[in-house]
Amino acid sequence: MIYLEGECINMYFEIVQFACNPHFGFVYTATTSFHFNSYPFLLSEIMVPSSRGAGILSSSTLERLKGFVCPSEPQGRGLPGPRNAGGGPGDAGGRPGNVGGGCAHGGNGPGDTPPGVGGEVSVTSAPCRISKSGYTPLEQQYLQIKEQHNDALLAVECGYKYRFFGEDAEKAAKQLNIFCHLDHNFMTCSIPTHRLFVHVRRLVSQGYKVGVVKQTETSAIKASGANKNTLFTRQLSALYTKSTLVGEDVNPVHSLVDVEEGECDDVVTDPPESYLLCLSETWDKHRKQLIIGLVAVQPSTGDVLLDCFVDGSTRCELEGRVLKVNPVEILVPSDLSDSSHRLLQSIVTARPLSSIASLESPVVCCLGPLIHYLTEFNLQRVLLHHRYCKSLWIRCSTLFHRKVCVRVLQTDGGMKGSLLWVLDHTHTSFGRRLMRKWVSQPLKDAQSICERQFAVCEILESDAVTLPSVRALLFRLPDLERGVCSIYHKKCSTQEFYLISSSLSRLGVELQALLPSIQSQLSSTLLRGLLLDTPELLAPAHNFLKVLNEKAAKSGDKRELFCDLSGFPVLQGRRVEIQSVLTEIQDHRREVRNTLRTPTLDYVRVGGQEFLIEVKNSMVSVVPSDWVKISSTKAVSRYQSPYLIGRCRSLSQLREQLLIDSQKEWTNFLHQFGEYYHTMKKAVGNLATVDCLFSLAEVAKQRNYCRPVLCEGDRQIVIRDGRHPVIDLLMGEHTQYVPNNTELQGDGRRTLIISGPNMGGKSSYIRQVALVSIMAQVGSYVPATEARLGILDGIYTRMGASDSIYKGRSTFMEELTEASEIVTRATERSLVILDELGRGTSTHDGIAIAYATLEYFIRDVKSLTLFVTHYPPLCELEKVYPLHVGNFHMAFLLNEPDITTDGTLVPEFITFLYQLTEGAAGQSYGLNVARLAEIPEAILHIAARKAQELKNIVDARRYTYKDTHCPTQWDTLSAEQSND
């Protein structure tokens, strides 16, 4: 195995952790710097790195990343001091015993600033006031481990509980709501061993890095050694963060019966996705371009995403990718040194990393920090043995505005109301994850899209009995993808292994039985290929399963785990030794019977202690004097002879040695299974694809969707009776959704200018077109009676209002920045959607910007464009480009304003028809929305009168202007009327 050692790489980097948040996708929870001496975090706008190319992230990128998160209290840094160290109760911040300095945003030391935000992180250490001899042996042991892992909360195994010490204890107690008290020199709190996974996950969810320290000695072996009077040795066995929750300690495993009965649907309780993302930047001096490399890895599933792309000053492309990946941790590497670069170059030609030789330099520069970071968690195999392929990450062909991305994937903490919510009818955890990838990464290859469509069509229309049988196999399965990856990391329990391997074996056997009917009944190339290949891929699982003792596997007894020891000579030899000692103990029973003159005497077991000689108290006089009394009651006393004591000690040592040997053999066993990892992962991927195809078929059947026709090479979007998939589902069957037609032709009318009253359905309509286009390129049926679409290379949107106050950007600045990105990136094969561009400034400037931008898309970009506006002058573009532009509005019924008997003007009343109709709307009827918002009637009456006065003034000016100027010209005053 080839891996990168931290000392060899000599990289500096920080880890920025994120967590899901109901307001937006992430919460800034911790900034952890590692044990390097310095942190060269530069803040230039665009850093021009060395000739090696890939550099640290510029301030613009860091600002964009900060835009995804909200500040929260991170974990502290530095060693937790004893209770009376560092100044005692009077320490700053009210936290006694603080030895180390804190980190930013609520750390231990005031005034600290996170790296990359305003300065470097400094870790200080106050001198300890207690000599080494003042600590207990356990405290000294803890401090030694803590010094090596000072960025983690350490849970130390002590008998039947795990203990936290010092600041770790205070933080853990606060987050876990448990009691914390002073014990010797440290504050301490504890949790039971059987609840470790609950508390570790809770701490990790709050942004902490948690280390589990376990005893590495057993009592029997320790008693036989020279250090029998010393402290048990302990070592850090595992580290956990949000993206690295893989291991026996944190994965509660249910029984197969529970899974089959539907009591649980997952082996672990992780969120659907938990990506660790690494970024690097390169400034191309010759092309004047910023190139960003991206690698995202999900250690729990083995998924690796690669990408390299050009981005602008606003990092809009980066935003789109981060939103899609939705990472829980982001790794930000600094610039690579020359030696590090040479090291990477040297290993790219070595097996198994030869596949990265063809990757772009920024992508390769992300792999080093990721491998280095994951090595700390023993999860680096997922990258070291990964079969790298550029196509693993489909380039970000669709750039969504943040709000559109939320509506497509619901990255704000929930799923209801998103396109994913509409399409996801999968029955497996791995199927749900794949469906999210499909929705976030629409296909651009016509053949792949048609293969999915044909498979969905066959599922919908075929009468083959094979399809229901295949679908039934997908119900109540554990998370096979995570389970296989946990085995690959050699971190799974025996229970999880048996659950996963038995499920894989059963699926392989049942699919094998269906092969004849699959071959004869199915015609879809995609379905046939997936189902015919899977049984052979799953075949090795059966061979591993038959070696196991089912009862021992389910109970976690590794000493009895393997039912056939022919392949395990070490265990076989140890079993022989144990049996020999047991035979000696049984043979000694005859001597005991003779001594006590009790021919039927047998050993008893009391309180877990074996081979006790039980003697009635009336007969203790015949017990030899050298026998040791173990326990007694009013009626009997229990003894062991010196011989028994020695043999029992040997037996305990052999049994504990057997457990150690069994653990080693278990690890080797997992390694052997891991050699089939890629095979098993491919099989699970096939099942996930089948699950997604069944899901698309189910939603098409339930909602009466149609199969879209793909027109490869054509630039068009033609939709008959199209419906918004989310709104249509939310409204249900009893409320009629008003369908609308869409016709955009690249060589004909390719731009629709949409006007109409506020609340009339304009934004819903344009989103409908975008979502239908995405669904078509996912391979799904679409909510329409007929659809013909060309393949888009991107969907670019500018809608909604948002500012970036912390960047000093107004709403209008954000609007124009996003519009600028779209102008730069859109092509004639793109769908561009602009909603009310230019509304954040004065009417004259807004009209001018909107008019010029729209004309540029019509004349130069030639993209398929939907442009929503409240500016009537823009509708004049239909006369300028009659072949390519059409004016439309959302239809409505108008009750004209009325004047009451007292002369009060009552505003008009609008009835929305939600029907796209040809022609421009003259006004926006904002007073109607004011009425819907329950603005007081007195205000509405004054507003209506004022609006009428302004309209009269505008009309008078227009008539005067037309009398003295060319009547074909337009002026901006008409826009003022529509905005009043």
PDB file of all heavy atoms in Angstrom, residues 584-595:
ATOM      1  N   GLU A 584      -7.080 -31.111  31.571  1.00  0.00           N
ATOM      2  CA  GLU A 584      -6.324 -31.223  32.807  1.00  0.00           C
ATOM      3  C   GLU A 584      -7.183 -30.853  34.009  1.00  0.00           C
ATOM      4  O   GLU A 584      -7.114 -31.482  35.067  1.00  0.00           O
ATOM      5  CB  GLU A 584      -5.087 -30.342  32.747  1.00  0.00           C
ATOM      6  CG  GLU A 584      -4.048 -30.814  31.733  1.00  0.00           C
ATOM      7  CD  GLU A 584      -2.912 -29.824  31.575  1.00  0.00           C
ATOM      8  OE1 GLU A 584      -2.995 -28.738  32.207  1.00  0.00           O
ATOM      9  OE2 GLU A 584      -1.975 -30.107  30.827  1.00  0.00           O
ATOM     10  N   ILE A 585      -7.990 -29.812  33.856  1.00  0.00           N
ATOM     11  CA  ILE A 585      -8.868 -29.394  34.950  1.00  0.00           C
ATOM     12  C   ILE A 585      -9.903 -30.472  35.245  1.00  0.00           C
ATOM     13  O   ILE A 585     -10.185 -30.788  36.419  1.00  0.00           O
ATOM     14  CB  ILE A 585      -9.544 -28.056  34.599  1.00  0.00           C
ATOM     15  CG1 ILE A 585      -8.510 -26.927  34.588  1.00  0.00           C
ATOM     16  CG2 ILE A 585     -10.670 -27.735  35.580  1.00  0.00           C
ATOM     17  CD1 ILE A 585      -9.067 -25.589  34.145  1.00  0.00           C
ATOM     18  N   GLN A 586     -10.459 -31.073  34.217  1.00  0.00           N
ATOM     19  CA  GLN A 586     -11.439 -32.132  34.425  1.00  0.00           C
ATOM     20  C   GLN A 586     -10.794 -33.371  35.034  1.00  0.00           C
ATOM     21  O   GLN A 586     -11.391 -34.053  35.875  1.00  0.00           O
ATOM     22  CB  GLN A 586     -12.122 -32.465  33.101  1.00  0.00           C
ATOM     23  CG  GLN A 586     -12.988 -31.347  32.523  1.00  0.00           C
ATOM     24  CD  GLN A 586     -14.098 -30.928  33.466  1.00  0.00           C
ATOM     25  OE1 GLN A 586     -14.650 -31.752  34.215  1.00  0.00           O
ATOM     26  NE2 GLN A 586     -14.421 -29.629  33.445  1.00  0.00           N
ATOM     27  N   ASP A 587      -9.596 -33.656  34.593  1.00  0.00           N
ATOM     28  CA  ASP A 587      -8.895 -34.798  35.184  1.00  0.00           C
ATOM     29  C   ASP A 587      -8.597 -34.579  36.658  1.00  0.00           C
ATOM     30  O   ASP A 587      -8.604 -35.522  37.463  1.00  0.00           O
ATOM     31  CB  ASP A 587      -7.586 -35.053  34.426  1.00  0.00           C
ATOM     32  CG  ASP A 587      -7.823 -35.563  33.012  1.00  0.00           C
ATOM     33  OD1 ASP A 587      -8.958 -36.027  32.738  1.00  0.00           O
ATOM     34  OD2 ASP A 587      -6.900 -35.484  32.181  1.00  0.00           O
ATOM     35  N   HIS A 588      -8.331 -33.343  37.032  1.00  0.00           N
ATOM     36  CA  HIS A 588      -8.054 -33.021  38.434  1.00  0.00           C
ATOM     37  C   HIS A 588      -9.284 -33.267  39.314  1.00  0.00           C
ATOM     38  O   HIS A 588      -9.149 -33.422  40.536  1.00  0.00           O
ATOM     39  CB  HIS A 588      -7.604 -31.570  38.538  1.00  0.00           C
ATOM     40  CG  HIS A 588      -7.324 -31.113  39.930  1.00  0.00           C
ATOM     41  ND1 HIS A 588      -6.283 -31.615  40.696  1.00  0.00           N
ATOM     42  CD2 HIS A 588      -7.955 -30.197  40.731  1.00  0.00           C
ATOM     43  CE1 HIS A 588      -6.276 -31.046  41.881  1.00  0.00           C
ATOM     44  NE2 HIS A 588      -7.280 -30.164  41.927  1.00  0.00           N
ATOM     45  N   ARG A 589     -10.435 -33.319  38.708  1.00  0.00           N
ATOM     46  CA  ARG A 589     -11.665 -33.535  39.466  1.00  0.00           C
ATOM     47  C   ARG A 589     -11.642 -34.868  40.207  1.00  0.00           C
ATOM     48  O   ARG A 589     -12.202 -34.992  41.313  1.00  0.00           O
ATOM     49  CB  ARG A 589     -12.860 -33.461  38.515  1.00  0.00           C
ATOM     50  CG  ARG A 589     -14.216 -33.529  39.190  1.00  0.00           C
ATOM     51  CD  ARG A 589     -15.323 -33.306  38.190  1.00  0.00           C
ATOM     52  NE  ARG A 589     -15.147 -34.172  37.030  1.00  0.00           N
ATOM     53  CZ  ARG A 589     -15.949 -34.166  35.962  1.00  0.00           C
ATOM     54  NH1 ARG A 589     -16.973 -33.324  35.914  1.00  0.00           N
ATOM     55  NH2 ARG A 589     -15.729 -34.968  34.945  1.00  0.00           N
ATOM     56  N   ARG A 590     -11.011 -35.878  39.606  1.00  0.00           N
ATOM     57  CA  ARG A 590     -10.948 -37.178  40.274  1.00  0.00           C
ATOM     58  C   ARG A 590     -10.164 -37.075  41.583  1.00  0.00           C
ATOM     59  O   ARG A 590     -10.547 -37.657  42.601  1.00  0.00           O
ATOM     60  CB  ARG A 590     -10.288 -38.196  39.346  1.00  0.00           C
ATOM     61  CG  ARG A 590     -11.191 -38.632  38.197  1.00  0.00           C
ATOM     62  CD  ARG A 590     -10.642 -39.875  37.514  1.00  0.00           C
ATOM     63  NE  ARG A 590      -9.381 -39.596  36.807  1.00  0.00           N
ATOM     64  CZ  ARG A 590      -9.339 -39.215  35.535  1.00  0.00           C
ATOM     65  NH1 ARG A 590     -10.454 -39.076  34.844  1.00  0.00           N
ATOM     66  NH2 ARG A 590      -8.167 -38.984  34.958  1.00  0.00           N
ATOM     67  N   GLU A 591      -9.068 -36.330  41.554  1.00  0.00           N
ATOM     68  CA  GLU A 591      -8.280 -36.132  42.771  1.00  0.00           C
ATOM     69  C   GLU A 591      -9.082 -35.393  43.826  1.00  0.00           C
ATOM     70  O   GLU A 591      -9.003 -35.696  45.022  1.00  0.00           O
ATOM     71  CB  GLU A 591      -7.007 -35.370  42.417  1.00  0.00           C
ATOM     72  CG  GLU A 591      -6.083 -35.141  43.599  1.00  0.00           C
ATOM     73  CD  GLU A 591      -4.829 -34.378  43.235  1.00  0.00           C
ATOM     74  OE1 GLU A 591      -4.508 -34.309  42.020  1.00  0.00           O
ATOM     75  OE2 GLU A 591      -4.174 -33.839  44.156  1.00  0.00           O
ATOM     76  N   VAL A 592      -9.875 -34.413  43.398  1.00  0.00           N
ATOM     77  CA  VAL A 592     -10.716 -33.655  44.331  1.00  0.00           C
ATOM     78  C   VAL A 592     -11.758 -34.567  44.964  1.00  0.00           C
ATOM     79  O   VAL A 592     -12.032 -34.508  46.168  1.00  0.00           O
ATOM     80  CB  VAL A 592     -11.379 -32.470  43.603  1.00  0.00           C
ATOM     81  CG1 VAL A 592     -12.407 -31.787  44.510  1.00  0.00           C
ATOM     82  CG2 VAL A 592     -10.332 -31.473  43.152  1.00  0.00           C
ATOM     83  N   ARG A 593     -12.373 -35.400  44.146  1.00  0.00           N
ATOM     84  CA  ARG A 593     -13.386 -36.320  44.678  1.00  0.00           C
ATOM     85  C   ARG A 593     -12.781 -37.265  45.722  1.00  0.00           C
ATOM     86  O   ARG A 593     -13.398 -37.554  46.755  1.00  0.00           O
ATOM     87  CB  ARG A 593     -13.988 -37.118  43.528  1.00  0.00           C
ATOM     88  CG  ARG A 593     -14.904 -36.316  42.636  1.00  0.00           C
ATOM     89  CD  ARG A 593     -15.337 -37.127  41.420  1.00  0.00           C
ATOM     90  NE  ARG A 593     -16.298 -36.386  40.600  1.00  0.00           N
ATOM     91  CZ  ARG A 593     -16.755 -36.834  39.427  1.00  0.00           C
ATOM     92  NH1 ARG A 593     -16.323 -37.994  38.945  1.00  0.00           N
ATOM     93  NH2 ARG A 593     -17.621 -36.102  38.744  1.00  0.00           N
ATOM     94  N   ASN A 594     -11.588 -37.751  45.417  1.00  0.00           N
ATOM     95  CA  ASN A 594     -10.937 -38.650  46.369  1.00  0.00           C
ATOM     96  C   ASN A 594     -10.594 -37.931  47.662  1.00  0.00           C
ATOM     97  O   ASN A 594     -10.746 -38.495  48.767  1.00  0.00           O
ATOM     98  CB  ASN A 594      -9.671 -39.239  45.748  1.00  0.00           C
ATOM     99  CG  ASN A 594      -9.981 -40.169  44.601  1.00  0.00           C
ATOM    100  OD1 ASN A 594     -11.063 -40.782  44.559  1.00  0.00           O
ATOM    101  ND2 ASN A 594      -9.040 -40.322  43.665  1.00  0.00           N
ATOM    102  N   THR A 595     -10.134 -36.692  47.528  1.00  0.00           N
ATOM    103  CA  THR A 595      -9.762 -35.934  48.730  1.00  0.00           C
ATOM    104  C   THR A 595     -10.982 -35.683  49.605  1.00  0.00           C
ATOM    105  O   THR A 595     -10.929 -35.821  50.833  1.00  0.00           O
ATOM    106  CB  THR A 595      -9.114 -34.596  48.351  1.00  0.00           C
ATOM    107  OG1 THR A 595      -7.956 -34.851  47.562  1.00  0.00           O
ATOM    108  CG2 THR A 595      -8.738 -33.791  49.581  1.00  0.00           C
TER     109      THR A 595
END
